[in-house]
Amino acid sequence: MSKVVGIDLGTTNSLVAYMEDGQPQVIPGLSGTSAVPSIVSFDPDGSPDQVVVGEAAKKHLISGSDRTIYSVKRLMGKGIEEVQADLKYLPFQLSGKAQEIIRVHVGEKHYTPPEISAIILSELKQRAEAHLKAPVEQAVITVPAYFNDSQRQATKDAGKIAGLEVLRIVNEPTAASLAYGLQKKKEGRIVVYDLGGGTFDVSILKIRKGIFEVLATNGDTHLGGDDIDQCLMLFLLREIQQQHGRNLMDHPEALQELRLLSEKVKRQLSSEDSAAISLTLAEQKIDYHREITREEFEGLIHNLVERTLTPCRQALEDANLKPEEIDEVILVGGSTRIPLIKNKVSDLFKQTPHSELNPDDVVALGAAIQADILAGSITDMLLLDVTPLSLGMETMGGVVNRFIPRNTTIPTSAKEAFTTFEDGQQSVSIHVVQGERELVKDCRSLAQFNLCGIDPLPAGMPRIEVIFLIDANGILNVSAKDLRSGKAQSIEVKPTYGLSDEETEKMISSSIEHAREDMEERMLIESRNEADTVLRHAAKGLRHGTTLLDPAERKLIEQSMSDLKKAIEGSDHSLIREKLSSLDGATQKLAELLMDQSVQVALKDKKLSDS
Amino acid sequence: MESELKTDTGKTLTTRSCWSCKIEMGDLFFCPSCKALQAYAEKTDYFRCFGLERHLQMDPEKLEETFHDLSRKFHPDFYQRKSQEEQQISLENAAILNKAYRILKDPMKRAAYLIGLAEGGQEIPAEAPADLFEEIFALQEGLEEVKALTPEKSDLKLTLFTNLKNTMEKLQSRQKEALREIEAFFPQWDMLVPPEKDQSFTTQQMDCLQKMKKILSQQAYLERMIKNIRSAIGGR
């Protein structure tokens, strides 16, 4: 049976984990590091064939800043109008119409955020397959708890495009609580404060006899380490402008360098009281040096940290709890290493927060546990999560009729009855929104549902019951029934931000095509490498064993070698394989002779490792 | 072992057949023969979802325990590898159970739901408590003034906000009072619930419900006012 893995698809880093002997494990890469930087770098022409991911892509952040995509999670399920504030700092180009999916431009091509996330997911999938030595086709993927329906759907689409069946979308703080619960075996009320690279979540849970019940969740899907970096970057940008009279805003590469520098300084200030900053840009004639203290840095980020506390207070209120009633606070996400954040959290909840679990791994570990629950291996743990945002629909005058309030345990559903207003009307349109505000314009549009093919009847006669169901992934499913006939009513769905089913299908098939091309490419490289090694060994063998062979045998080996050399120059890996095996056959006798003589074991070594 | 479970009310009320193997069975969650999960019977009310009579007094901890036990039976996590049909039933049952718990765990919502059952599910209209007319009048004025605020009058803003916050606290303590008032009716209602009957309501019962309804109407009004204040002074 193929393994179900757990994936933490992060803004900055992504990880894949699985369960082994009842314990979750993060799968390391070849270099031994477990995190894959969530960065994708394309060729200058933007073609998907030469894409690199992770550490390899990180190298291109500055030199290839216009084709190296980072923090794509912040674009998932969003429209261009929602990311305006970020646009001026991003070195790559985005486009899109209002209320439609964003396109990322790379050279001649453009990609949607789910396609770019899919590239990261494929990398994790391959990593897991290499480690587990088995195909990986199913996964649990985590998302911020405060992700809305479109963002969740976009994540699910990304999984599909990467060739993964997404068994479940799990909220990051709740996943963390599973890992925590498995390790600590404690019961009570816990708060998970999760500040990642791009998003902030807070969840309050009650753990009782293996049931992890989320009481309330809140957050900000656009607040994280990236914003802290940006905050420091803007400060440095202003200072450089004052001192050198140069605005680096129009220099994407310089800006990128400054952003990376800011990130480094931020990390340093978590453990040290001050950090040296120096930036030399020969091209811009900038030579900038300064020292920054932790205190100065904290002054800069103070407002950002405060912004995380409002959702915490709201979650407490929604859970109907006081800070004193919380038994433990758990910190998740790399940004919680910042001392100011630890202090603020401990002030608010009146206790020292826990951070003994590695805040970088814990979400992926939790995803692996959930994967094991779904696979049926763990039966004593159960997660009862909630929907983070209220769901409603547009009514007269642009007012929202809310039918599922936030913090409702999922799965949940609501029924609404619809009819027609005109004689013979055959379709009714329902606009579904998510959010806490009273007016449609202040909420987020999810989709337009069109009840169509209604029997033409006098106004008010048709009776259609629509069921809005939020599944365990936090994703909305809508179905409708004609109450008169009892038949299912057909619905056309137009998602506001996101991909239609046909678009996703197209991407899946093209990604499979690419996967095939990728595979061909890899097999060619591997066969060439092997041919090189075998040729080297054969040449060596010939030199040492030249007196042992008769001329005909010698001739045959030389011929086989030159055939293989010719094959390497082409791009047909099966031809290379074929020539490889004829050379193998031709050198068999030589190898035996050499072995008998114990003169040289080079060939033998090669043979053994080959078999 | 699951086939030994009692019915959701603890008694067998109806017989129905298993959707999967079609054998006749009681009102059970799992078919005794093929073990398939069964859907909640149509029009199962939230009390019965929890295997409860229509009583209003409830032990929150016991309710939570039942909720967790039933979640273990229904949650889609445990049906991932079962048939499409069973997955769908698990999803629907879990959705009903979650909604039921949300209503039953809140005494106000619980009472309102019961009134809805008796009256056919209309929403309870909001009604201003008569003794609060003066405060409400002042509050309306205060809200209007906040709307009319201009950036220059920031000192006025502070006073207005303080006033609104004070009113809000007053309304909130009034809400707590309303909760105590309505809970005072719960034992009275529970005495009126005949142990075996379920569908029809007696005049005495309707009378008791009407009294609770009045409190709930006022409660709905208070809720709306508090929401208005919240949106006026910012925050959700």
Side-chain angles (χ1 to χ4, degrees), chain A residues 195-431:
Chain A
L195 189 62
T199 54
F200 170 67
D201 281 325
V202 58
S203 286
I204 303 178
L205 293 103
K206 184 171 184 185
I207 308 178
R208 181 189 158 275
K209 292 186 182 164
I211 301 245
F212 291 65
E213 185 188 350
V214 179
L215 303 175
T217 194
N218 213 297
D220 186 333
T221 57
H222 210 97
L223 176 59
D226 278 7
D227 298 281
I228 292 171
D229 300 346
Q230 207 179 76
C231 188
L232 181 58
M233 180 181 93
L234 286 178
F235 169 77
L236 298 176
L237 209 60
R238 274 195 301 275
E239 204 169 79
I240 290 170
Q241 190 169 14
Q242 279 163 11
Q243 288 179 11
H244 293 78
R246 297 207 66 130
N247 187 358
L248 295 178
M249 274 306 285
D250 310 324
H251 303 276
E253 287 179 15
L255 212 56
Q256 186 68 284
E257 201 158 335
L258 201 56
R259 186 180 74 86
L260 294 172
L261 181 67
S262 303
E263 192 199 341
K264 207 180 101 199
V265 169
K266 169 187 77 176
R267 286 171 188 269
Q268 207 175 335
L269 288 174
S270 285
S271 55
E272 283 156 44
D273 290 331
S274 69
I277 300 175
S278 80
L279 181 74
T280 312
L281 296 167
E283 229 173 278
Q284 273 85 29
K285 295 200 180 61
I286 283 171
D287 196 18
Y288 170 79
H289 304 277
R290 93 173 329 260
E291 174 122 336
I292 187 166
T293 63
R294 187 189 283 176
E295 213 180 326
E296 282 176 282
F297 174 65
E298 290 181 345
L300 290 174
I301 65 164
H302 183 266
N303 282 344
L304 284 176
V305 178
E306 276 300 317
R307 264 175 63 196
T308 66
L309 301 181
T310 313
C312 291
R313 293 191 192 100
Q314 184 65 54
L316 276 172
E317 195 182 316
D318 286 355
N320 206 2
L321 291 171
K322 293 186 190 65
E324 303 82 61
E325 294 174 283
I326 300 299
D327 297 308
E328 257 170 45
V329 179
I330 304 164
L331 297 180
V332 179
S335 303
T336 59
R337 291 199 171 90
I338 297 171
L340 179 68
I341 289 175
K342 279 188 191 162
N343 294 340
K344 288 284 175 186
V345 173
S346 99
D347 286 350
L348 177 64
F349 293 103
K350 302 189 168 81
Q351 58 186 296
T352 314
H354 284 251
S355 50
E356 56 262 46
L357 290 179
N358 182 345
D360 299 321
D361 291 354
V362 65
V363 170
L365 298 177
I369 297 171
Q370 181 65 35
D372 221 32
I373 294 174
L374 296 179
S377 308
I378 297 179
T379 52
D380 56 345
M381 287 169 96
L382 174 63
L383 196 60
L384 299 174
D385 218 321
V386 299
T387 177
L389 298 157
S390 301
L391 189 75
M393 64 177 181
E394 180 168 357
T395 58
M396 301 277 262
V399 178
V400 180
N401 166 23
R402 191 159 293 141
F403 41 71
I404 297 177
R406 69 162 181 267
N407 291 322
T408 299
T409 307
I410 51 173
T412 190
S413 63
K415 279 181 196 167
E416 295 284 326
F418 292 87
T419 186
T420 52
F421 291 100
E422 278 168 44
D423 292 344
Q425 188 178 336
Q426 283 179 288
S427 74
V428 173
S429 177
I430 309 165
H431 183 204

Side-chain angles (χ1 to χ4, degrees), chain A residues 591-604:
Chain A
E592 278 162 18
L593 288 169
L594 282 170
M595 237 189 297
D596 285 348
Q597 281 213 334
S598 325
V599 179
Q600 179 50 274
V601 289
L603 269 175
K604 171 193 145 199

